[in-house]
Amino acid sequence: GAFCFITALSLVSLYPAPHLVKILGENRATSLLATVASASALTEIVSSSLIAALVDALGRKPVLIGAACVVALSNALVGLFASHEGVLPFVAAKFTASIAVGVFFLSSGAILADLYRSTPKKLAASNGLLFALVNAGFGVGVGLSGVFKEGLGHRLPYLASSLIALGGVLALALGVPETMA
C-alpha cells in the first residue's frame, strides 16, 4: 500500500512546476509553489492534533485508506476535468497531496506502534521496511513521470496516478490490520 501511495504521489509531483512556469512565468510559478508548500506545512502543523484525534476516533486503518482515497480522487479530477491552461486544479491537487502525505504517515506510524510497541526491534525493522517501500515508490514514481512527456498533456499522468493510488487503497484494505482495540 505504501509503495503504491508514494508512487502515485511522486508520479505527478514534478508535473506542476514546468506547467505553471509555462502559464505564469518562472517568478510567479515559483512564488505560487512556495506559497502552496508553506500553506500545506502550516495546515499540517495547525491540524496535526485534530488529525491525531481523528486517527484515534475513527481508527488507524480507515484514516490511512482515506488518505489514499483522497489522492486517488484529487488526481482523477485533475486528469478528467482540468484544462491544460488552468492553474487552480494543479495547485489544489498539490496542496491535497501534501496534506494526505502527513495523514498517511501519522496513520501508518500509529499502526506500527500499536503492532510492535512491546518489541522495539520489530518496530524498528517495520519502520525500516515502510521507509524502504516509500523510497522505492518515490524512485519508481519519479522515473515513470519521465515517461509522460509534456507534449502528452496532464491527463495521462494524473489518471495513471489515480489508478496507482486506488491499487494502494486495495492493498491497504486487504493487507493492513486495524489496530484499535
Side-chain angles (χ1 to χ4, degrees):
F3 175 80
C4 289
F5 180 74
I6 299 299
T7 300
L9 289 171
S10 62
L11 178 61
V12 295
S13 67
L14 302 178
Y15 184 83
H19 173 71
L20 294 174
V21 166
K22 187 183 293 184
I23 293 171
L24 301 173
E26 188 175 335
N27 289 338
R28 287 181 60 206
T30 302
S31 177
L32 178 61
L33 288 171
T35 301
V36 169
S38 297
S40 64
L42 180 62
T43 301
E44 283 187 56
I45 291 166
V46 170
S47 65
S48 62
S49 295
L50 176 65
I51 293 169
L54 192 66
V55 168
D56 288 341
L58 298 178
R60 282 89 160 98
K61 185 176 180 176
V63 175
L64 182 69
I65 291 170
C69 285
V70 165
V71 168
L73 178 62
S74 173
N75 287 345
L77 290 173
V78 171
L80 291 171
F81 301 112
S83 86
H84 193 67
E85 296 78 30
V87 171
L88 183 61
F90 299 97
V91 171
K94 188 82 167 162
F95 179 83
T96 302
S98 297
I99 301 302
V101 166
V103 171
F104 182 87
F105 281 114
L106 185 86
S107 302
S108 60
I111 289 171
L112 292 177
D114 290 346
L115 290 171
Y116 304 114
R117 74 170 45 110
S118 62
T119 52
K121 286 185 180 181
K122 285 186 179 179
L123 178 59
S126 296
N127 273 313
L129 178 59
L130 172 65
F131 282 98
L133 291 168
V134 165
N135 287 330
F138 184 76
V140 168
V142 169
L144 284 175
S145 72
V147 171
F148 300 109
K149 302 293 185 219
E150 177 69 27
L152 295 174
H154 67 281
R155 295 193 191 287
L156 189 57
Y158 276 90
L159 291 173
S161 172
S162 182
L163 290 174
I164 293 168
L166 287 175
V169 167
L170 183 63
L172 294 168
L174 297 175
V176 174
E178 175 54 72
T179 58
M180 295 286 296

Short mmCIF file of all heavy atoms in Angstrom, two decimals, residues 15-91:
data_model
loop_
_atom_site.label_atom_id
_atom_site.label_comp_id
_atom_site.label_asym_id
_atom_site.label_seq_id
_atom_site.Cartn_x
_atom_site.Cartn_y
_atom_site.Cartn_z
N TYR A 15 5.20 17.42 -12.05
CA TYR A 15 4.46 17.98 -13.18
C TYR A 15 4.08 19.45 -13.01
O TYR A 15 4.24 20.23 -13.95
CB TYR A 15 3.21 17.14 -13.48
CG TYR A 15 2.48 17.65 -14.69
CD1 TYR A 15 2.88 17.26 -15.96
CD2 TYR A 15 1.44 18.57 -14.59
CE1 TYR A 15 2.26 17.76 -17.08
CE2 TYR A 15 0.81 19.07 -15.71
CZ TYR A 15 1.22 18.66 -16.96
OH TYR A 15 0.62 19.16 -18.07
N PRO A 16 3.56 19.85 -11.84
CA PRO A 16 3.06 21.23 -11.76
C PRO A 16 4.10 22.31 -12.02
O PRO A 16 3.76 23.35 -12.59
CB PRO A 16 2.52 21.34 -10.33
CG PRO A 16 2.19 19.95 -9.95
CD PRO A 16 3.23 19.10 -10.63
N ALA A 17 5.34 22.11 -11.63
CA ALA A 17 6.33 23.19 -11.76
C ALA A 17 6.52 23.65 -13.21
O ALA A 17 6.30 24.82 -13.51
CB ALA A 17 7.65 22.79 -11.12
N PRO A 18 6.88 22.77 -14.14
CA PRO A 18 7.05 23.27 -15.52
C PRO A 18 5.74 23.74 -16.13
O PRO A 18 5.72 24.69 -16.92
CB PRO A 18 7.63 22.09 -16.29
CG PRO A 18 7.51 20.91 -15.41
CD PRO A 18 7.29 21.38 -14.02
N HIS A 19 4.65 23.10 -15.76
CA HIS A 19 3.34 23.51 -16.26
C HIS A 19 3.01 24.93 -15.81
O HIS A 19 2.60 25.77 -16.61
CB HIS A 19 2.27 22.53 -15.75
CG HIS A 19 0.87 22.94 -16.06
ND1 HIS A 19 0.36 22.91 -17.35
CD2 HIS A 19 -0.13 23.41 -15.28
CE1 HIS A 19 -0.89 23.34 -17.33
NE2 HIS A 19 -1.21 23.64 -16.08
N LEU A 20 3.22 25.20 -14.54
CA LEU A 20 2.93 26.53 -14.01
C LEU A 20 3.90 27.59 -14.54
O LEU A 20 3.51 28.73 -14.77
CB LEU A 20 2.91 26.52 -12.49
CG LEU A 20 1.78 25.70 -11.86
CD1 LEU A 20 1.95 25.62 -10.35
CD2 LEU A 20 0.42 26.24 -12.24
N VAL A 21 5.16 27.21 -14.74
CA VAL A 21 6.13 28.14 -15.32
C VAL A 21 5.68 28.55 -16.72
O VAL A 21 5.76 29.72 -17.10
CB VAL A 21 7.55 27.53 -15.33
CG1 VAL A 21 8.48 28.34 -16.23
CG2 VAL A 21 8.11 27.45 -13.92
N LYS A 22 5.19 27.58 -17.47
CA LYS A 22 4.74 27.87 -18.84
C LYS A 22 3.56 28.85 -18.83
O LYS A 22 3.47 29.74 -19.66
CB LYS A 22 4.33 26.57 -19.53
CG LYS A 22 4.00 26.75 -21.00
CD LYS A 22 3.52 25.47 -21.64
CE LYS A 22 4.64 24.46 -21.68
NZ LYS A 22 4.26 23.23 -22.38
N ILE A 23 2.66 28.71 -17.86
CA ILE A 23 1.47 29.55 -17.81
C ILE A 23 1.73 30.89 -17.13
O ILE A 23 1.30 31.94 -17.60
CB ILE A 23 0.32 28.81 -17.07
CG1 ILE A 23 -0.12 27.61 -17.89
CG2 ILE A 23 -0.86 29.73 -16.80
CD1 ILE A 23 -1.07 26.70 -17.16
N LEU A 24 2.44 30.86 -16.00
CA LEU A 24 2.59 32.05 -15.16
C LEU A 24 3.92 32.77 -15.29
O LEU A 24 4.07 33.89 -14.82
CB LEU A 24 2.41 31.67 -13.69
CG LEU A 24 1.08 31.02 -13.30
CD1 LEU A 24 1.13 30.54 -11.85
CD2 LEU A 24 -0.05 32.00 -13.50
N GLY A 25 4.90 32.10 -15.84
CA GLY A 25 6.26 32.62 -15.83
C GLY A 25 6.99 32.09 -14.60
O GLY A 25 6.38 31.66 -13.62
N GLU A 26 8.30 32.12 -14.67
CA GLU A 26 9.12 31.50 -13.63
C GLU A 26 8.91 32.10 -12.24
O GLU A 26 8.73 31.39 -11.26
CB GLU A 26 10.60 31.59 -14.02
CG GLU A 26 11.49 30.80 -13.10
CD GLU A 26 12.94 30.80 -13.57
OE1 GLU A 26 13.19 30.98 -14.78
OE2 GLU A 26 13.80 30.61 -12.71
N ASN A 27 8.94 33.42 -12.14
CA ASN A 27 8.83 34.06 -10.82
C ASN A 27 7.48 33.81 -10.15
O ASN A 27 7.41 33.45 -8.98
CB ASN A 27 9.09 35.56 -10.92
CG ASN A 27 10.55 35.86 -11.20
OD1 ASN A 27 11.42 35.04 -10.93
ND2 ASN A 27 10.82 37.03 -11.75
N ARG A 28 6.41 33.99 -10.91
CA ARG A 28 5.07 33.79 -10.34
C ARG A 28 4.83 32.32 -10.01
O ARG A 28 4.22 32.00 -8.99
CB ARG A 28 3.99 34.31 -11.28
CG ARG A 28 3.96 35.84 -11.33
CD ARG A 28 2.89 36.40 -12.24
NE ARG A 28 1.57 35.98 -11.82
CZ ARG A 28 0.53 35.88 -12.65
NH1 ARG A 28 0.67 36.18 -13.92
NH2 ARG A 28 -0.65 35.49 -12.21
N ALA A 29 5.29 31.41 -10.84
CA ALA A 29 5.11 29.98 -10.59
C ALA A 29 5.89 29.55 -9.35
O ALA A 29 5.36 28.82 -8.49
CB ALA A 29 5.56 29.16 -11.80
N THR A 30 7.12 30.01 -9.24
CA THR A 30 7.94 29.68 -8.07
C THR A 30 7.30 30.23 -6.80
O THR A 30 7.22 29.54 -5.78
CB THR A 30 9.36 30.23 -8.24
OG1 THR A 30 9.93 29.69 -9.43
CG2 THR A 30 10.24 29.87 -7.06
N SER A 31 6.83 31.44 -6.88
CA SER A 31 6.17 32.05 -5.73
C SER A 31 4.90 31.29 -5.35
O SER A 31 4.64 31.04 -4.16
CB SER A 31 5.83 33.51 -6.06
OG SER A 31 5.14 34.10 -4.99
N LEU A 32 4.12 30.90 -6.33
CA LEU A 32 2.88 30.15 -6.07
C LEU A 32 3.18 28.80 -5.43
O LEU A 32 2.56 28.41 -4.44
CB LEU A 32 2.09 29.97 -7.37
CG LEU A 32 0.80 29.16 -7.24
CD1 LEU A 32 -0.18 29.83 -6.28
CD2 LEU A 32 0.16 28.99 -8.62
N LEU A 33 4.15 28.08 -5.97
CA LEU A 33 4.50 26.77 -5.40
C LEU A 33 5.07 26.90 -3.99
O LEU A 33 4.78 26.06 -3.12
CB LEU A 33 5.47 26.03 -6.32
CG LEU A 33 4.84 25.50 -7.62
CD1 LEU A 33 5.92 24.98 -8.55
CD2 LEU A 33 3.79 24.45 -7.33
N ALA A 34 5.83 27.95 -3.74
CA ALA A 34 6.35 28.18 -2.39
C ALA A 34 5.20 28.49 -1.43
O ALA A 34 5.19 28.02 -0.28
CB ALA A 34 7.37 29.32 -2.39
N THR A 35 4.23 29.25 -1.90
CA THR A 35 3.07 29.57 -1.08
C THR A 35 2.26 28.31 -0.77
O THR A 35 1.82 28.11 0.37
CB THR A 35 2.18 30.62 -1.78
OG1 THR A 35 2.95 31.79 -2.00
CG2 THR A 35 0.95 30.95 -0.96
N VAL A 36 2.08 27.45 -1.76
CA VAL A 36 1.36 26.19 -1.55
C VAL A 36 2.10 25.32 -0.54
O VAL A 36 1.48 24.75 0.38
CB VAL A 36 1.15 25.44 -2.87
CG1 VAL A 36 0.64 24.02 -2.64
CG2 VAL A 36 0.20 26.20 -3.77
N ALA A 37 3.41 25.23 -0.67
CA ALA A 37 4.20 24.43 0.27
C ALA A 37 4.09 24.99 1.68
O ALA A 37 3.91 24.24 2.65
CB ALA A 37 5.66 24.37 -0.18
N SER A 38 4.18 26.30 1.81
CA SER A 38 4.07 26.93 3.13
C SER A 38 2.67 26.74 3.72
O SER A 38 2.52 26.44 4.90
CB SER A 38 4.38 28.43 3.04
OG SER A 38 5.71 28.62 2.63
N ALA A 39 1.66 26.92 2.89
CA ALA A 39 0.28 26.76 3.37
C ALA A 39 0.00 25.33 3.79
O ALA A 39 -0.66 25.10 4.82
CB ALA A 39 -0.70 27.19 2.28
N SER A 40 0.50 24.38 3.04
CA SER A 40 0.26 22.98 3.43
C SER A 40 1.03 22.63 4.70
O SER A 40 0.51 21.92 5.57
CB SER A 40 0.58 22.01 2.29
OG SER A 40 1.94 22.03 1.96
N ALA A 41 2.24 23.15 4.86
CA ALA A 41 3.00 22.90 6.09
C ALA A 41 2.30 23.52 7.29
O ALA A 41 2.17 22.89 8.34
CB ALA A 41 4.42 23.46 5.95
N LEU A 42 1.83 24.74 7.13
CA LEU A 42 1.10 25.40 8.21
C LEU A 42 -0.19 24.64 8.54
O LEU A 42 -0.53 24.44 9.71
CB LEU A 42 0.78 26.85 7.84
CG LEU A 42 0.02 27.65 8.88
CD1 LEU A 42 0.82 27.76 10.18
CD2 LEU A 42 -0.32 29.03 8.34
N THR A 43 -0.89 24.19 7.52
CA THR A 43 -2.11 23.42 7.73
C THR A 43 -1.81 22.14 8.50
O THR A 43 -2.56 21.77 9.41
CB THR A 43 -2.79 23.09 6.39
OG1 THR A 43 -3.09 24.32 5.72
CG2 THR A 43 -4.06 22.29 6.57
N GLU A 44 -0.74 21.46 8.15
CA GLU A 44 -0.36 20.24 8.87
C GLU A 44 -0.04 20.53 10.33
O GLU A 44 -0.45 19.79 11.22
CB GLU A 44 0.84 19.58 8.20
CG GLU A 44 0.49 18.83 6.94
CD GLU A 44 1.67 18.06 6.41
OE1 GLU A 44 2.24 17.25 7.15
OE2 GLU A 44 2.01 18.29 5.23
N ILE A 45 0.68 21.60 10.57
CA ILE A 45 1.04 21.96 11.95
C ILE A 45 -0.21 22.28 12.76
O ILE A 45 -0.39 21.78 13.86
CB ILE A 45 2.03 23.15 11.96
CG1 ILE A 45 3.39 22.71 11.40
CG2 ILE A 45 2.17 23.72 13.36
CD1 ILE A 45 4.32 23.86 11.07
N VAL A 46 -1.07 23.11 12.19
CA VAL A 46 -2.28 23.54 12.90
C VAL A 46 -3.25 22.37 13.10
O VAL A 46 -3.90 22.27 14.14
CB VAL A 46 -2.95 24.71 12.15
CG1 VAL A 46 -4.32 25.01 12.71
CG2 VAL A 46 -2.05 25.94 12.19
N SER A 47 -3.34 21.49 12.13
CA SER A 47 -4.34 20.42 12.20
C SER A 47 -3.81 19.09 12.74
O SER A 47 -4.58 18.14 12.84
CB SER A 47 -4.96 20.21 10.82
OG SER A 47 -3.99 19.72 9.92
N SER A 48 -2.54 19.01 13.10
CA SER A 48 -1.98 17.72 13.49
C SER A 48 -2.68 17.11 14.71
O SER A 48 -2.92 15.91 14.76
CB SER A 48 -0.47 17.82 13.72
OG SER A 48 -0.19 18.72 14.76
N SER A 49 -3.04 17.93 15.68
CA SER A 49 -3.76 17.40 16.85
C SER A 49 -5.13 16.89 16.46
O SER A 49 -5.58 15.84 16.94
CB SER A 49 -3.90 18.48 17.93
OG SER A 49 -2.64 18.83 18.42
N LEU A 50 -5.80 17.62 15.57
CA LEU A 50 -7.11 17.19 15.09
C LEU A 50 -7.00 15.88 14.30
O LEU A 50 -7.82 14.97 14.47
CB LEU A 50 -7.74 18.28 14.23
CG LEU A 50 -9.08 17.96 13.59
CD1 LEU A 50 -10.15 17.77 14.65
CD2 LEU A 50 -9.48 19.07 12.62
N ILE A 51 -6.00 15.78 13.47
CA ILE A 51 -5.80 14.57 12.68
C ILE A 51 -5.48 13.39 13.59
O ILE A 51 -6.01 12.28 13.41
CB ILE A 51 -4.72 14.78 11.60
CG1 ILE A 51 -5.23 15.78 10.56
CG2 ILE A 51 -4.35 13.46 10.93
CD1 ILE A 51 -4.18 16.28 9.60
N ALA A 52 -4.63 13.61 14.58
CA ALA A 52 -4.32 12.54 15.54
C ALA A 52 -5.58 12.10 16.27
O ALA A 52 -5.80 10.89 16.47
CB ALA A 52 -3.26 13.01 16.52
N ALA A 53 -6.43 13.03 16.66
CA ALA A 53 -7.70 12.68 17.32
C ALA A 53 -8.60 11.91 16.37
O ALA A 53 -9.28 10.96 16.78
CB ALA A 53 -8.39 13.94 17.82
N LEU A 54 -8.59 12.29 15.10
CA LEU A 54 -9.37 11.59 14.09
C LEU A 54 -8.88 10.15 13.93
O LEU A 54 -9.67 9.21 13.84
CB LEU A 54 -9.27 12.34 12.76
CG LEU A 54 -10.20 11.95 11.64
CD1 LEU A 54 -11.64 12.29 12.01
CD2 LEU A 54 -9.82 12.68 10.37
N VAL A 55 -7.57 9.97 13.91
CA VAL A 55 -6.97 8.64 13.82
C VAL A 55 -7.40 7.79 15.02
O VAL A 55 -7.72 6.61 14.87
CB VAL A 55 -5.43 8.73 13.72
CG1 VAL A 55 -4.77 7.38 13.93
CG2 VAL A 55 -5.02 9.33 12.39
N ASP A 56 -7.45 8.40 16.20
CA ASP A 56 -7.88 7.67 17.40
C ASP A 56 -9.38 7.41 17.39
O ASP A 56 -9.83 6.35 17.84
CB ASP A 56 -7.51 8.45 18.66
CG ASP A 56 -6.01 8.42 18.94
OD1 ASP A 56 -5.32 7.53 18.42
OD2 ASP A 56 -5.54 9.30 19.69
N ALA A 57 -10.17 8.34 16.89
CA ALA A 57 -11.63 8.20 16.92
C ALA A 57 -12.15 7.25 15.84
O ALA A 57 -13.02 6.42 16.10
CB ALA A 57 -12.29 9.57 16.78
N LEU A 58 -11.64 7.39 14.64
CA LEU A 58 -12.14 6.59 13.51
C LEU A 58 -11.39 5.27 13.33
O LEU A 58 -11.91 4.36 12.69
CB LEU A 58 -12.06 7.39 12.21
CG LEU A 58 -12.89 8.66 12.14
CD1 LEU A 58 -12.67 9.36 10.81
CD2 LEU A 58 -14.36 8.35 12.35
N GLY A 59 -10.19 5.23 13.82
CA GLY A 59 -9.34 4.05 13.62
C GLY A 59 -8.21 4.38 12.67
O GLY A 59 -8.33 5.25 11.81
N ARG A 60 -7.12 3.68 12.86
CA ARG A 60 -5.93 3.96 12.04
C ARG A 60 -6.15 3.58 10.59
O ARG A 60 -5.83 4.32 9.67
CB ARG A 60 -4.73 3.18 12.58
CG ARG A 60 -4.09 3.80 13.80
CD ARG A 60 -4.74 3.27 15.08
NE ARG A 60 -3.91 3.45 16.25
CZ ARG A 60 -4.04 4.44 17.12
NH1 ARG A 60 -4.95 5.37 16.93
NH2 ARG A 60 -3.27 4.51 18.17
N LYS A 61 -6.68 2.38 10.38
CA LYS A 61 -6.85 1.87 9.02
C LYS A 61 -7.79 2.73 8.17
O LYS A 61 -7.44 3.05 7.03
CB LYS A 61 -7.32 0.42 9.07
CG LYS A 61 -7.42 -0.25 7.72
CD LYS A 61 -7.81 -1.71 7.86
CE LYS A 61 -7.92 -2.39 6.52
NZ LYS A 61 -8.19 -3.83 6.66
N PRO A 62 -8.97 3.11 8.67
CA PRO A 62 -9.84 3.95 7.84
C PRO A 62 -9.21 5.29 7.45
O PRO A 62 -9.39 5.76 6.32
CB PRO A 62 -11.09 4.17 8.70
CG PRO A 62 -11.08 3.06 9.68
CD PRO A 62 -9.64 2.72 9.91
N VAL A 63 -8.47 5.89 8.35
CA VAL A 63 -7.83 7.18 8.04
C VAL A 63 -6.69 6.96 7.03
O VAL A 63 -6.52 7.76 6.10
CB VAL A 63 -7.35 7.88 9.32
CG1 VAL A 63 -6.58 9.15 9.00
CG2 VAL A 63 -8.54 8.20 10.23
N LEU A 64 -5.95 5.89 7.20
CA LEU A 64 -4.88 5.55 6.26
C LEU A 64 -5.44 5.35 4.85
O LEU A 64 -4.96 5.93 3.87
CB LEU A 64 -4.16 4.29 6.74
CG LEU A 64 -2.97 3.78 5.94
CD1 LEU A 64 -1.80 4.74 6.07
CD2 LEU A 64 -2.58 2.40 6.43
N ILE A 65 -6.50 4.57 4.76
CA ILE A 65 -7.15 4.32 3.47
C ILE A 65 -7.77 5.61 2.94
O ILE A 65 -7.71 5.89 1.74
CB ILE A 65 -8.19 3.19 3.60
CG1 ILE A 65 -7.47 1.86 3.84
CG2 ILE A 65 -9.08 3.12 2.37
CD1 ILE A 65 -8.39 0.72 4.21
N GLY A 66 -8.33 6.41 3.83
CA GLY A 66 -8.92 7.69 3.42
C GLY A 66 -7.90 8.61 2.77
O GLY A 66 -8.21 9.29 1.78
N ALA A 67 -6.69 8.64 3.30
CA ALA A 67 -5.64 9.49 2.71
C ALA A 67 -5.35 9.06 1.28
O ALA A 67 -5.22 9.90 0.38
CB ALA A 67 -4.37 9.43 3.56
N ALA A 68 -5.26 7.75 1.06
CA ALA A 68 -5.01 7.25 -0.30
C ALA A 68 -6.20 7.52 -1.21
O ALA A 68 -6.03 7.84 -2.40
CB ALA A 68 -4.67 5.76 -0.26
N CYS A 69 -7.41 7.42 -0.68
CA CYS A 69 -8.62 7.71 -1.48
C CYS A 69 -8.66 9.18 -1.89
O CYS A 69 -9.05 9.50 -3.02
CB CYS A 69 -9.87 7.36 -0.68
SG CYS A 69 -10.21 5.61 -0.55
N VAL A 70 -8.27 10.07 -0.99
CA VAL A 70 -8.27 11.50 -1.29
C VAL A 70 -7.31 11.78 -2.45
O VAL A 70 -7.63 12.54 -3.37
CB VAL A 70 -7.92 12.33 -0.04
CG1 VAL A 70 -7.54 13.76 -0.40
CG2 VAL A 70 -9.08 12.30 0.94
N VAL A 71 -6.13 11.17 -2.42
CA VAL A 71 -5.17 11.36 -3.51
C VAL A 71 -5.72 10.79 -4.81
O VAL A 71 -5.63 11.43 -5.87
CB VAL A 71 -3.81 10.72 -3.14
CG1 VAL A 71 -2.90 10.64 -4.36
CG2 VAL A 71 -3.15 11.52 -2.04
N ALA A 72 -6.31 9.60 -4.75
CA ALA A 72 -6.88 9.00 -5.97
C ALA A 72 -7.97 9.89 -6.56
O ALA A 72 -7.98 10.14 -7.77
CB ALA A 72 -7.45 7.61 -5.65
N LEU A 73 -8.85 10.41 -5.72
CA LEU A 73 -9.93 11.26 -6.20
C LEU A 73 -9.41 12.59 -6.73
O LEU A 73 -9.79 13.03 -7.82
CB LEU A 73 -10.94 11.51 -5.07
CG LEU A 73 -12.11 12.43 -5.42
CD1 LEU A 73 -12.95 11.85 -6.55
CD2 LEU A 73 -12.96 12.70 -4.19
N SER A 74 -8.52 13.22 -5.99
CA SER A 74 -7.96 14.50 -6.40
C SER A 74 -7.27 14.39 -7.76
O SER A 74 -7.49 15.21 -8.65
CB SER A 74 -6.98 14.98 -5.32
OG SER A 74 -6.29 16.12 -5.74
N ASN A 75 -6.45 13.37 -7.92
CA ASN A 75 -5.73 13.22 -9.19
C ASN A 75 -6.65 12.81 -10.32
O ASN A 75 -6.45 13.21 -11.47
CB ASN A 75 -4.56 12.26 -9.02
CG ASN A 75 -3.43 12.88 -8.22
OD1 ASN A 75 -3.40 14.09 -8.02
ND2 ASN A 75 -2.52 12.08 -7.74
N ALA A 76 -7.68 12.02 -10.02
CA ALA A 76 -8.66 11.66 -11.05
C ALA A 76 -9.39 12.90 -11.54
O ALA A 76 -9.61 13.07 -12.75
CB ALA A 76 -9.64 10.63 -10.52
N LEU A 77 -9.77 13.78 -10.61
CA LEU A 77 -10.47 15.01 -11.00
C LEU A 77 -9.59 15.89 -11.89
O LEU A 77 -10.07 16.45 -12.88
CB LEU A 77 -10.92 15.78 -9.76
CG LEU A 77 -12.06 15.13 -8.96
CD1 LEU A 77 -12.30 15.89 -7.67
CD2 LEU A 77 -13.32 15.03 -9.80
N VAL A 78 -8.31 16.00 -11.55
CA VAL A 78 -7.40 16.78 -12.40
C VAL A 78 -7.28 16.12 -13.77
O VAL A 78 -7.35 16.78 -14.81
CB VAL A 78 -6.01 16.93 -11.74
CG1 VAL A 78 -5.01 17.56 -12.71
CG2 VAL A 78 -6.10 17.78 -10.48
N GLY A 79 -7.10 14.81 -13.77
CA GLY A 79 -6.95 14.09 -15.04
C GLY A 79 -8.17 14.17 -15.93
O GLY A 79 -8.05 14.25 -17.15
N LEU A 80 -9.34 14.15 -15.32
CA LEU A 80 -10.57 14.13 -16.11
C LEU A 80 -11.07 15.51 -16.50
O LEU A 80 -11.61 15.69 -17.60
CB LEU A 80 -11.68 13.40 -15.33
CG LEU A 80 -11.49 11.90 -15.15
CD1 LEU A 80 -12.53 11.34 -14.20
CD2 LEU A 80 -11.54 11.18 -16.50
N PHE A 81 -10.93 16.49 -15.62
CA PHE A 81 -11.64 17.75 -15.82
C PHE A 81 -10.79 19.01 -15.94
O PHE A 81 -11.29 20.03 -16.39
CB PHE A 81 -12.66 17.96 -14.69
CG PHE A 81 -13.67 16.86 -14.61
CD1 PHE A 81 -13.68 15.99 -13.53
CD2 PHE A 81 -14.59 16.66 -15.63
CE1 PHE A 81 -14.60 14.96 -13.46
CE2 PHE A 81 -15.51 15.63 -15.57
CZ PHE A 81 -15.53 14.78 -14.48
N ALA A 82 -9.53 18.98 -15.53
CA ALA A 82 -8.73 20.21 -15.55
C ALA A 82 -8.31 20.54 -16.96
O ALA A 82 -7.91 19.68 -17.72
CB ALA A 82 -7.50 20.04 -14.66
N SER A 83 -8.39 21.82 -17.28
CA SER A 83 -7.90 22.25 -18.59
C SER A 83 -6.39 22.42 -18.47
O SER A 83 -5.86 22.73 -17.40
CB SER A 83 -8.55 23.56 -19.01
OG SER A 83 -7.85 24.66 -18.50
N HIS A 84 -5.72 22.22 -19.57
CA HIS A 84 -4.25 22.32 -19.56
C HIS A 84 -3.78 23.74 -19.28
O HIS A 84 -2.68 23.95 -18.82
CB HIS A 84 -3.68 21.82 -20.89
CG HIS A 84 -2.20 21.59 -20.85
ND1 HIS A 84 -1.63 20.60 -20.09
CD2 HIS A 84 -1.20 22.25 -21.45
CE1 HIS A 84 -0.31 20.66 -20.23
NE2 HIS A 84 -0.02 21.63 -21.06
N GLU A 85 -4.64 24.71 -19.52
CA GLU A 85 -4.28 26.10 -19.28
C GLU A 85 -4.58 26.54 -17.85
O GLU A 85 -4.25 27.64 -17.45
CB GLU A 85 -5.02 27.03 -20.26
CG GLU A 85 -4.65 26.83 -21.71
CD GLU A 85 -5.34 25.61 -22.32
OE1 GLU A 85 -6.46 25.26 -21.89
OE2 GLU A 85 -4.74 24.98 -23.20
N GLY A 86 -5.25 25.71 -17.09
CA GLY A 86 -5.65 26.07 -15.74
C GLY A 86 -4.53 26.00 -14.74
O GLY A 86 -3.50 25.38 -14.96
N VAL A 87 -4.72 26.66 -13.62
CA VAL A 87 -3.74 26.69 -12.54
C VAL A 87 -4.33 26.07 -11.27
O VAL A 87 -3.69 25.22 -10.64
CB VAL A 87 -3.29 28.15 -12.26
CG1 VAL A 87 -2.45 28.24 -11.01
CG2 VAL A 87 -2.54 28.71 -13.46
N LEU A 88 -5.53 26.47 -10.92
CA LEU A 88 -6.13 26.07 -9.65
C LEU A 88 -6.19 24.55 -9.43
O LEU A 88 -5.83 24.08 -8.35
CB LEU A 88 -7.51 26.70 -9.49
CG LEU A 88 -8.21 26.41 -8.16
CD1 LEU A 88 -7.40 26.95 -6.99
CD2 LEU A 88 -9.60 27.00 -8.16
N PRO A 89 -6.62 23.75 -10.42
CA PRO A 89 -6.70 22.31 -10.15
C PRO A 89 -5.34 21.69 -9.79
O PRO A 89 -5.27 20.83 -8.91
CB PRO A 89 -7.23 21.73 -11.46
CG PRO A 89 -7.91 22.87 -12.13
CD PRO A 89 -7.15 24.09 -11.73
N PHE A 90 -4.30 22.14 -10.44
CA PHE A 90 -2.96 21.60 -10.17
C PHE A 90 -2.46 22.02 -8.79
O PHE A 90 -1.86 21.24 -8.07
CB PHE A 90 -1.98 22.03 -11.27
CG PHE A 90 -2.39 21.54 -12.62
CD1 PHE A 90 -3.08 22.36 -13.49
CD2 PHE A 90 -2.11 20.24 -13.01
CE1 PHE A 90 -3.49 21.89 -14.73
CE2 PHE A 90 -2.51 19.76 -14.25
CZ PHE A 90 -3.20 20.59 -15.11
N VAL A 91 -2.74 23.26 -8.44
CA VAL A 91 -2.34 23.77 -7.13
C VAL A 91 -3.14 23.07 -6.03
O VAL A 91 -2.60 22.66 -5.00
CB VAL A 91 -2.52 25.30 -7.07
CG1 VAL A 91 -2.33 25.83 -5.67
CG2 VAL A 91 -1.54 25.96 -8.04
#
